[in-house]
Amino acid sequence: QALRSSSSLAGSCCQLRAAAMGEVAAEAAEAAGGGAAADEGKEQARPDFRLGDLVEVFGLTSESGRLLNAKRGPIERVRRDTGRFEIYLGEKPMSLKPENLRLVGDSVRLGPLRLRRGDGCEVRGLTSEAGRALNGEAVLVRGWEAATSRYNVSLAAQGSSTKALRAENLARIPELDLASPEAAAGALRALRGAYRRPEARRAWRQLLGKAAAAPEELEATALRVQRPALEGLGLRPDSVGRGHLHAALASFGSDAAFCRELAACPENDRGHGGSRPASTDLTSVVFMDIDGVLHSLQGDDLFRESCCALLERILHASGAQVILSSTWRLERSKQDMVDSVLRGRKRLASGSTGTRRPRAG
């Protein structure tokens, strides 16, 4: 879960992708106020990009720049000193001007609040008996209905059924703004400190002592443990606040010093003296996917350093071996790529899950 959170918020914000791109394009046109093409163009031209936005490069005229046109990737970092945005379009981030970027997919802004799918908002100002119970709750934006001038939202804590709310009853929850790698390292240490508290260790021991823990229990325990760190950073102590923390940390995924901090396994972690030797009898394993875990589902970057650093820390702390459960296990060349990455971090993949092939006849 930690790997998925780090990668998806680091590189993609793709938890709530649209089922069809045509639907997204239609909603974007409606969101501009009636669906006029000219209005949509004006909305797209506004450079209000945010971390995690999926953007497409256009309008570059140099010989090397033209090769980047039409490529897509998520915004990884905002450079305040230059006014540019860093986007992964390959093995390293590219720094581009806002006038050469346009929003695509789920990142297209919706409705008068210019929200994007997956944005977290706080409900406020509802006056009905049922509505008052929702005030103060965090919701996630699912879409915009121009015909009714309402946002479709779902409760962040549940994420199942949707509700239709007016713009005046929603306030976007601001993301965490970490100004430097040092600030990011400080936030990471605060999160680690929350896990080292005695009450946090007791909570995990109680949970692990159960024969089977429901996903809801795992989620509730994780948030309870992380609460001091989230509140100390000025974030909501819920899944939205945690998502904002992960997204902010992920924006420093290309910073070498931050990645070393991420991979560090302090001596008192988990109370077993830091790193454990790798398991040889497969009593401790990680069943691992690759796409959306070690790199983003969007863009061309493979094996993001920050994601690999987090995997390294998990493996060193647990002594676990890796079993590929990804479709990468089906191609020898891809298996070799994964083995090379793990071997470079002194953790060689143990094997892969089996595959079933239909019998002849």
Side-chain angles (χ1 to χ4, degrees):
Q1 181 185 7
L3 278 169
R4 290 190 181 278
S5 298
S6 176
S7 177
S8 63
L9 290 169
S12 66
C13 287
C14 60
Q15 302 173 30
L16 298 168
R17 289 180 297 166
M21 291 300 292
E23 176 189 347
V24 175
E27 285 196 3
E30 292 177 342
D39 288 343
E40 182 182 354
K42 290 179 182 178
E43 293 294 295
Q44 287 279 37
R46 289 176 57 184
D48 62 343
F49 301 119
R50 308 206 303 269
L51 286 178
D53 276 342
L54 181 63
V55 294
E56 182 178 85
V57 181
F58 75 101
L60 296 177
T61 57
S62 68
E63 184 177 354
S64 59
R66 286 197 297 270
L67 298 176
L68 300 178
N69 288 333
K71 286 186 174 291
R72 295 182 176 188
I75 291 177
E76 301 283 352
R77 194 172 179 183
V78 180
R79 299 301 301 264
R80 295 180 180 82
D81 53 343
T82 62
R84 293 181 176 231
F85 298 88
E86 286 189 0
I87 302 129
Y88 263 92
L89 300 173
E91 295 183 355
K92 62 180 182 179
M94 305 296 295
S95 183
L96 298 173
K97 297 178 181 178
E99 53 263 34
N100 294 118
L101 302 173
R102 55 187 167 210
L103 298 168
V104 292
D106 290 354
S107 297
V108 171
R109 303 296 189 254
L110 305 174
L113 298 181
R114 297 187 57 76
L115 300 173
R116 61 186 178 185
R117 289 176 187 265
D119 271 350
C121 293
E122 183 178 298
V123 180
R124 56 180 58 180
L126 296 177
T127 56
S128 68
E129 184 176 354
R132 286 197 299 271
L134 293 176
N135 287 333
E137 291 286 342
V139 295
L140 299 176
V141 174
R142 300 290 189 177
W144 164 257
E145 292 290 342
T148 59
S149 296
R150 282 174 166 80
Y151 285 99
N152 290 325
V153 300
S154 62
L155 286 171
Q158 299 175 2
S160 53
S161 60
T162 60
K163 302 180 183 299
L165 297 178
R166 294 187 177 92
E168 57 263 32
N169 297 121
L170 294 172
R172 186 170 70 85
I173 300 171
E175 289 90 352
L176 177 62
D177 185 11
L178 297 174
S180 66
E182 293 74 22
L188 183 61
R189 288 192 289 270
L191 188 59
R192 287 177 177 169
Y195 275 89
R196 295 190 190 113
R197 293 178 305 125
E199 52 268 41
R201 295 179 184 273
R202 284 195 298 271
W204 285 119
R205 280 198 295 268
Q206 291 173 1
L207 191 63
L208 294 173
K210 296 183 177 181
E216 295 79 10
E217 287 184 281
L218 290 170
E219 173 75 2
T221 300
L223 285 174
R224 190 164 65 251
V225 168
Q226 296 164 0
R227 185 182 188 107
L230 295 174
E231 290 182 334
L233 292 167
L235 296 168
R236 290 177 62 99
D238 55 21
S239 59
V240 172
R242 180 175 60 191
H244 287 168
L245 174 58
H246 289 166
L249 293 176
S251 68
F252 295 91
S254 61
D255 184 85
F258 176 74
C259 288
R260 285 195 296 272
E261 176 74 25
L262 189 65
C265 190
E267 288 300 309
N268 62 344
D269 261 17
R270 296 191 57 176
H272 55 62
S275 179
R276 282 183 174 177
S279 169
T280 57
D281 57 1
L282 298 187
T283 56
S284 180
V285 298
V286 172
F287 289 93
M288 189 174 69
D289 198 355
I290 299 297
D291 298 318
V293 177
L294 293 186
H295 49 244
S296 169
L297 288 171
Q298 301 168 335
D300 300 322
D301 59 315
L302 292 178
F303 300 109
R304 288 288 306 279
E305 177 60 26
S306 57
C307 301
C308 292
L310 185 54
L311 172 63
E312 180 181 355
R313 185 169 189 270
I314 290 172
L315 296 181
H316 277 289
S318 64
Q321 290 281 9
V322 173
I323 300 293
L324 283 183
S325 58
S326 162
T327 55
W328 280 57
R329 73 188 189 279
L330 303 179
E331 298 181 35
R332 184 63 194 178
S333 61
K334 290 188 174 181
Q335 286 186 34
D336 291 343
M337 289 175 66
V338 177
D339 282 349
S340 177
V341 170
L342 294 175
R343 192 181 296 114
R345 295 172 181 273
K346 301 179 181 179
R347 294 286 173 170
L348 184 62
S350 302
S352 61
T353 55
T355 58
R356 279 190 174 183
R357 291 180 172 83
R359 296 178 179 177

